[in-house]
Amino acid sequence: MRYTTLVGGALALLSSTPVLAQTASTTLPTAASTSTSQAASQLNTLSQYAKNVTTGNLDNGVTSKRGGCNLSNLKIRREWSTFSTAQKEAYINAVLCLQSKPSRTPSDLVSGARTRYDDFVATHINQTLNIHYTGTFLAWHRYFTWEFEQTLINECGYTGTVPYWNWPASANSLETYSVFDGSATSMSGNGAPRGPNDTDSDIELTLGNYPIVYLPLGTGGGCVTSGPFVNYTVNLGPVALSLPGGATGAAANPLGYNPRCLKRDLTTALIQRYANFTSVVSLILNNNDIADFQLAMQGVPGSGSIGVHGGGHYAMGGDPGRDVFVSPGDPAFWHHHGMIDRVWWIWQTLDLANRQDAISGTNTFLNNPPSANTTLDTVIDLGYAAGEMIAMRELMSTTGGPFCYIYL
Ligand SMILES: [Cu+2]
């Protein structure tokens, strides 16, 4: 068993080896296996390696102590299915708490924001064209997810971490997977099934002049019918909601008050197609520079792929799951972006010297309109959601700047 060796390796790392040189004796995979079980094992190996390297560096003081991160205050973000019932309830209650507190966003800026939760959605809407297919994409969402976690802690008494959704682990059936099974310890489940008069034509994604990407519909489509978020209202948007049959939904005033139910259309086929174990391991192993890695993750335009990032979002389906601008309005957004951040962390850790601070791209969506290159000095500002303005350089390490966490 490979893991036995790994655990031994982890202990050895914790006790001695300076790890920036990454001399761990672990045999790392070099190509993604097409076998699901082997690719699953490869992903575990890679994640363990990232953990060993990160904790080893902390133990040896290689990592900057500026933020005060060390092995004793290091937080460990875990997969949702490993949360106990009490831990799941605590997280869900904290999110519900945020959805019950008043918004801080001034109404002349976003008139429809009603809750503290909406503040996060509003910030994402306002910045969407500067944080996707840009140089800021990964770091911005790392900071956004971390500030969301901080807000749960500081304003709602939460004591845990944000979870993540290991997409491939749900590839058999989203409907029975713990994040979406509709139970009291899920993020609510599927939407009500479509009726006989509803169109069942594909979703059509358009991007510039590239060929349309067609996505199948899932098994729901309507309002979620059970679970903790059955009475939650999505207040903002839609801005650019992909609808079955190729239409796009948009409110006359997307920043206005437009309360509606949370809709889902769980589409397991999209996890199978874009975020299976082999796709995740390939993403990590086949992309040596940040430009390729972040593009593959979001879907190379014209390739027909929407990447693991698009795969997770569109697999939730519904509204706001299929709206790039409003997607944090689905409370499972944070599970998804936890995993995005985990994959980036693993990828970075495989070659810290070249990848820790690697940035590529500009500050506008596919550089349209043309804008300045993103650099370590580029400042991120989450507006009224939370946090201070912060330079990209502070966001590149999960144990540097304000951060102090790893993933298991
Ligand atoms: Cu986003």
mmCIF file with all atom_site columns, all heavy atoms in Angstrom, residues 304-321:
data_model
loop_
_atom_site.group_PDB
_atom_site.id
_atom_site.type_symbol
_atom_site.label_atom_id
_atom_site.label_alt_id
_atom_site.label_comp_id
_atom_site.label_asym_id
_atom_site.label_entity_id
_atom_site.label_seq_id
_atom_site.pdbx_PDB_ins_code
_atom_site.Cartn_x
_atom_site.Cartn_y
_atom_site.Cartn_z
_atom_site.occupancy
_atom_site.B_iso_or_equiv
_atom_site.pdbx_formal_charge
_atom_site.auth_seq_id
_atom_site.auth_comp_id
_atom_site.auth_asym_id
_atom_site.auth_atom_id
_atom_site.pdbx_PDB_model_num
ATOM 1   N N   . GLY A 1 304 ? -14.060 23.089 -26.361 1.00 0.00 ? 304 GLY A N   1
ATOM 2   C CA  . GLY A 1 304 ? -15.250 22.307 -26.032 1.00 0.00 ? 304 GLY A CA  1
ATOM 3   C C   . GLY A 1 304 ? -15.290 21.896 -24.574 1.00 0.00 ? 304 GLY A C   1
ATOM 4   O O   . GLY A 1 304 ? -16.292 21.382 -24.095 1.00 0.00 ? 304 GLY A O   1
ATOM 5   N N   . SER A 1 305 ? -14.193 22.135 -23.850 1.00 0.00 ? 305 SER A N   1
ATOM 6   C CA  . SER A 1 305 ? -14.166 21.789 -22.420 1.00 0.00 ? 305 SER A CA  1
ATOM 7   C C   . SER A 1 305 ? -14.479 23.013 -21.571 1.00 0.00 ? 305 SER A C   1
ATOM 8   O O   . SER A 1 305 ? -14.047 24.127 -21.887 1.00 0.00 ? 305 SER A O   1
ATOM 9   C CB  . SER A 1 305 ? -12.790 21.253 -22.029 1.00 0.00 ? 305 SER A CB  1
ATOM 10  O OG  . SER A 1 305 ? -12.722 21.091 -20.620 1.00 0.00 ? 305 SER A OG  1
ATOM 11  N N   . ILE A 1 306 ? -15.213 22.784 -20.486 1.00 0.00 ? 306 ILE A N   1
ATOM 12  C CA  . ILE A 1 306 ? -15.444 23.877 -19.542 1.00 0.00 ? 306 ILE A CA  1
ATOM 13  C C   . ILE A 1 306 ? -14.609 23.679 -18.283 1.00 0.00 ? 306 ILE A C   1
ATOM 14  O O   . ILE A 1 306 ? -14.740 24.433 -17.316 1.00 0.00 ? 306 ILE A O   1
ATOM 15  C CB  . ILE A 1 306 ? -16.945 24.016 -19.183 1.00 0.00 ? 306 ILE A CB  1
ATOM 16  C CG1 . ILE A 1 306 ? -17.490 22.724 -18.575 1.00 0.00 ? 306 ILE A CG1 1
ATOM 17  C CG2 . ILE A 1 306 ? -17.737 24.398 -20.438 1.00 0.00 ? 306 ILE A CG2 1
ATOM 18  C CD1 . ILE A 1 306 ? -18.933 22.859 -18.060 1.00 0.00 ? 306 ILE A CD1 1
ATOM 19  N N   . GLY A 1 307 ? -13.741 22.664 -18.313 1.00 0.00 ? 307 GLY A N   1
ATOM 20  C CA  . GLY A 1 307 ? -12.809 22.462 -17.207 1.00 0.00 ? 307 GLY A CA  1
ATOM 21  C C   . GLY A 1 307 ? -13.510 22.002 -15.932 1.00 0.00 ? 307 GLY A C   1
ATOM 22  O O   . GLY A 1 307 ? -14.735 21.916 -15.868 1.00 0.00 ? 307 GLY A O   1
ATOM 23  N N   . VAL A 1 308 ? -12.698 21.719 -14.925 1.00 0.00 ? 308 VAL A N   1
ATOM 24  C CA  . VAL A 1 308 ? -13.280 21.297 -13.647 1.00 0.00 ? 308 VAL A CA  1
ATOM 25  C C   . VAL A 1 308 ? -14.070 22.437 -13.010 1.00 0.00 ? 308 VAL A C   1
ATOM 26  O O   . VAL A 1 308 ? -15.073 22.212 -12.325 1.00 0.00 ? 308 VAL A O   1
ATOM 27  C CB  . VAL A 1 308 ? -12.199 20.798 -12.657 1.00 0.00 ? 308 VAL A CB  1
ATOM 28  C CG1 . VAL A 1 308 ? -11.501 19.549 -13.184 1.00 0.00 ? 308 VAL A CG1 1
ATOM 29  C CG2 . VAL A 1 308 ? -11.188 21.879 -12.319 1.00 0.00 ? 308 VAL A CG2 1
ATOM 30  N N   . HIS A 1 309 ? -13.634 23.675 -13.257 1.00 0.00 ? 309 HIS A N   1
ATOM 31  C CA  . HIS A 1 309 ? -14.336 24.816 -12.680 1.00 0.00 ? 309 HIS A CA  1
ATOM 32  C C   . HIS A 1 309 ? -15.750 24.934 -13.242 1.00 0.00 ? 309 HIS A C   1
ATOM 33  O O   . HIS A 1 309 ? -16.735 24.988 -12.503 1.00 0.00 ? 309 HIS A O   1
ATOM 34  C CB  . HIS A 1 309 ? -13.538 26.105 -12.943 1.00 0.00 ? 309 HIS A CB  1
ATOM 35  C CG  . HIS A 1 309 ? -14.227 27.350 -12.467 1.00 0.00 ? 309 HIS A CG  1
ATOM 36  N ND1 . HIS A 1 309 ? -14.738 28.297 -13.334 1.00 0.00 ? 309 HIS A ND1 1
ATOM 37  C CD2 . HIS A 1 309 ? -14.518 27.789 -11.223 1.00 0.00 ? 309 HIS A CD2 1
ATOM 38  C CE1 . HIS A 1 309 ? -15.286 29.276 -12.624 1.00 0.00 ? 309 HIS A CE1 1
ATOM 39  N NE2 . HIS A 1 309 ? -15.175 29.001 -11.348 1.00 0.00 ? 309 HIS A NE2 1
ATOM 40  N N   . GLY A 1 310 ? -15.842 24.912 -14.562 1.00 0.00 ? 310 GLY A N   1
ATOM 41  C CA  . GLY A 1 310 ? -17.158 24.959 -15.183 1.00 0.00 ? 310 GLY A CA  1
ATOM 42  C C   . GLY A 1 310 ? -17.964 23.699 -14.873 1.00 0.00 ? 310 GLY A C   1
ATOM 43  O O   . GLY A 1 310 ? -19.169 23.762 -14.659 1.00 0.00 ? 310 GLY A O   1
ATOM 44  N N   . GLY A 1 311 ? -17.266 22.557 -14.829 1.00 0.00 ? 311 GLY A N   1
ATOM 45  C CA  . GLY A 1 311 ? -17.952 21.299 -14.548 1.00 0.00 ? 311 GLY A CA  1
ATOM 46  C C   . GLY A 1 311 ? -18.703 21.340 -13.224 1.00 0.00 ? 311 GLY A C   1
ATOM 47  O O   . GLY A 1 311 ? -19.876 20.975 -13.147 1.00 0.00 ? 311 GLY A O   1
ATOM 48  N N   . GLY A 1 312 ? -18.033 21.802 -12.185 1.00 0.00 ? 312 GLY A N   1
ATOM 49  C CA  . GLY A 1 312 ? -18.677 21.879 -10.870 1.00 0.00 ? 312 GLY A CA  1
ATOM 50  C C   . GLY A 1 312 ? -19.831 22.860 -10.847 1.00 0.00 ? 312 GLY A C   1
ATOM 51  O O   . GLY A 1 312 ? -20.916 22.568 -10.351 1.00 0.00 ? 312 GLY A O   1
ATOM 52  N N   . HIS A 1 313 ? -19.602 24.046 -11.414 1.00 0.00 ? 313 HIS A N   1
ATOM 53  C CA  . HIS A 1 313 ? -20.675 25.053 -11.413 1.00 0.00 ? 313 HIS A CA  1
ATOM 54  C C   . HIS A 1 313 ? -21.908 24.565 -12.165 1.00 0.00 ? 313 HIS A C   1
ATOM 55  O O   . HIS A 1 313 ? -23.027 24.626 -11.654 1.00 0.00 ? 313 HIS A O   1
ATOM 56  C CB  . HIS A 1 313 ? -20.185 26.358 -12.051 1.00 0.00 ? 313 HIS A CB  1
ATOM 57  C CG  . HIS A 1 313 ? -19.423 27.241 -11.099 1.00 0.00 ? 313 HIS A CG  1
ATOM 58  N ND1 . HIS A 1 313 ? -19.960 27.731 -9.947  1.00 0.00 ? 313 HIS A ND1 1
ATOM 59  C CD2 . HIS A 1 313 ? -18.158 27.725 -11.150 1.00 0.00 ? 313 HIS A CD2 1
ATOM 60  C CE1 . HIS A 1 313 ? -19.072 28.485 -9.317  1.00 0.00 ? 313 HIS A CE1 1
ATOM 61  N NE2 . HIS A 1 313 ? -17.961 28.492 -10.030 1.00 0.00 ? 313 HIS A NE2 1
ATOM 62  N N   . TYR A 1 314 ? -21.703 24.098 -13.386 1.00 0.00 ? 314 TYR A N   1
ATOM 63  C CA  . TYR A 1 314 ? -22.857 23.728 -14.200 1.00 0.00 ? 314 TYR A CA  1
ATOM 64  C C   . TYR A 1 314 ? -23.481 22.415 -13.737 1.00 0.00 ? 314 TYR A C   1
ATOM 65  O O   . TYR A 1 314 ? -24.654 22.155 -14.026 1.00 0.00 ? 314 TYR A O   1
ATOM 66  C CB  . TYR A 1 314 ? -22.481 23.712 -15.686 1.00 0.00 ? 314 TYR A CB  1
ATOM 67  C CG  . TYR A 1 314 ? -22.298 25.116 -16.217 1.00 0.00 ? 314 TYR A CG  1
ATOM 68  C CD1 . TYR A 1 314 ? -21.029 25.688 -16.324 1.00 0.00 ? 314 TYR A CD1 1
ATOM 69  C CD2 . TYR A 1 314 ? -23.408 25.896 -16.563 1.00 0.00 ? 314 TYR A CD2 1
ATOM 70  C CE1 . TYR A 1 314 ? -20.865 26.995 -16.764 1.00 0.00 ? 314 TYR A CE1 1
ATOM 71  C CE2 . TYR A 1 314 ? -23.247 27.197 -17.012 1.00 0.00 ? 314 TYR A CE2 1
ATOM 72  C CZ  . TYR A 1 314 ? -21.978 27.744 -17.104 1.00 0.00 ? 314 TYR A CZ  1
ATOM 73  O OH  . TYR A 1 314 ? -21.822 29.044 -17.537 1.00 0.00 ? 314 TYR A OH  1
ATOM 74  N N   . ALA A 1 315 ? -22.738 21.594 -13.008 1.00 0.00 ? 315 ALA A N   1
ATOM 75  C CA  . ALA A 1 315 ? -23.329 20.368 -12.462 1.00 0.00 ? 315 ALA A CA  1
ATOM 76  C C   . ALA A 1 315 ? -24.384 20.696 -11.399 1.00 0.00 ? 315 ALA A C   1
ATOM 77  O O   . ALA A 1 315 ? -25.323 19.941 -11.196 1.00 0.00 ? 315 ALA A O   1
ATOM 78  C CB  . ALA A 1 315 ? -22.252 19.466 -11.876 1.00 0.00 ? 315 ALA A CB  1
ATOM 79  N N   . MET A 1 316 ? -24.229 21.826 -10.711 1.00 0.00 ? 316 MET A N   1
ATOM 80  C CA  . MET A 1 316 ? -25.281 22.258 -9.771  1.00 0.00 ? 316 MET A CA  1
ATOM 81  C C   . MET A 1 316 ? -26.509 22.697 -10.550 1.00 0.00 ? 316 MET A C   1
ATOM 82  O O   . MET A 1 316 ? -27.634 22.475 -10.141 1.00 0.00 ? 316 MET A O   1
ATOM 83  C CB  . MET A 1 316 ? -24.803 23.438 -8.920  1.00 0.00 ? 316 MET A CB  1
ATOM 84  C CG  . MET A 1 316 ? -23.641 23.155 -8.008  1.00 0.00 ? 316 MET A CG  1
ATOM 85  S SD  . MET A 1 316 ? -23.253 24.674 -7.073  1.00 0.00 ? 316 MET A SD  1
ATOM 86  C CE  . MET A 1 316 ? -21.473 24.673 -7.162  1.00 0.00 ? 316 MET A CE  1
ATOM 87  N N   . GLY A 1 317 ? -26.255 23.334 -11.680 1.00 0.00 ? 317 GLY A N   1
ATOM 88  C CA  . GLY A 1 317 ? -27.330 23.763 -12.559 1.00 0.00 ? 317 GLY A CA  1
ATOM 89  C C   . GLY A 1 317 ? -28.259 24.775 -11.900 1.00 0.00 ? 317 GLY A C   1
ATOM 90  O O   . GLY A 1 317 ? -27.979 25.318 -10.837 1.00 0.00 ? 317 GLY A O   1
ATOM 91  N N   . GLY A 1 318 ? -29.366 25.023 -12.567 1.00 0.00 ? 318 GLY A N   1
ATOM 92  C CA  . GLY A 1 318 ? -30.395 25.884 -11.996 1.00 0.00 ? 318 GLY A CA  1
ATOM 93  C C   . GLY A 1 318 ? -30.026 27.349 -11.937 1.00 0.00 ? 318 GLY A C   1
ATOM 94  O O   . GLY A 1 318 ? -29.225 27.858 -12.731 1.00 0.00 ? 318 GLY A O   1
ATOM 95  N N   . ASP A 1 319 ? -30.562 28.021 -10.957 1.00 0.00 ? 319 ASP A N   1
ATOM 96  C CA  . ASP A 1 319 ? -30.385 29.465 -10.767 1.00 0.00 ? 319 ASP A CA  1
ATOM 97  C C   . ASP A 1 319 ? -30.068 29.702 -9.303  1.00 0.00 ? 319 ASP A C   1
ATOM 98  O O   . ASP A 1 319 ? -30.891 29.361 -8.446  1.00 0.00 ? 319 ASP A O   1
ATOM 99  C CB  . ASP A 1 319 ? -31.690 30.177 -11.153 1.00 0.00 ? 319 ASP A CB  1
ATOM 100 C CG  . ASP A 1 319 ? -31.677 31.671 -10.861 1.00 0.00 ? 319 ASP A CG  1
ATOM 101 O OD1 . ASP A 1 319 ? -30.595 32.237 -10.634 1.00 0.00 ? 319 ASP A OD1 1
ATOM 102 O OD2 . ASP A 1 319 ? -32.771 32.270 -10.842 1.00 0.00 ? 319 ASP A OD2 1
ATOM 103 N N   . PRO A 1 320 ? -28.906 30.256 -8.978  1.00 0.00 ? 320 PRO A N   1
ATOM 104 C CA  . PRO A 1 320 ? -27.936 30.918 -9.846  1.00 0.00 ? 320 PRO A CA  1
ATOM 105 C C   . PRO A 1 320 ? -26.769 30.024 -10.302 1.00 0.00 ? 320 PRO A C   1
ATOM 106 O O   . PRO A 1 320 ? -25.781 30.566 -10.801 1.00 0.00 ? 320 PRO A O   1
ATOM 107 C CB  . PRO A 1 320 ? -27.414 32.033 -8.958  1.00 0.00 ? 320 PRO A CB  1
ATOM 108 C CG  . PRO A 1 320 ? -27.392 31.423 -7.596  1.00 0.00 ? 320 PRO A CG  1
ATOM 109 C CD  . PRO A 1 320 ? -28.572 30.488 -7.545  1.00 0.00 ? 320 PRO A CD  1
ATOM 110 N N   . GLY A 1 321 ? -26.878 28.717 -10.210 1.00 0.00 ? 321 GLY A N   1
ATOM 111 C CA  . GLY A 1 321 ? -25.746 27.848 -10.530 1.00 0.00 ? 321 GLY A CA  1
ATOM 112 C C   . GLY A 1 321 ? -25.222 28.019 -11.946 1.00 0.00 ? 321 GLY A C   1
ATOM 113 O O   . GLY A 1 321 ? -24.050 27.783 -12.211 1.00 0.00 ? 321 GLY A O   1
#
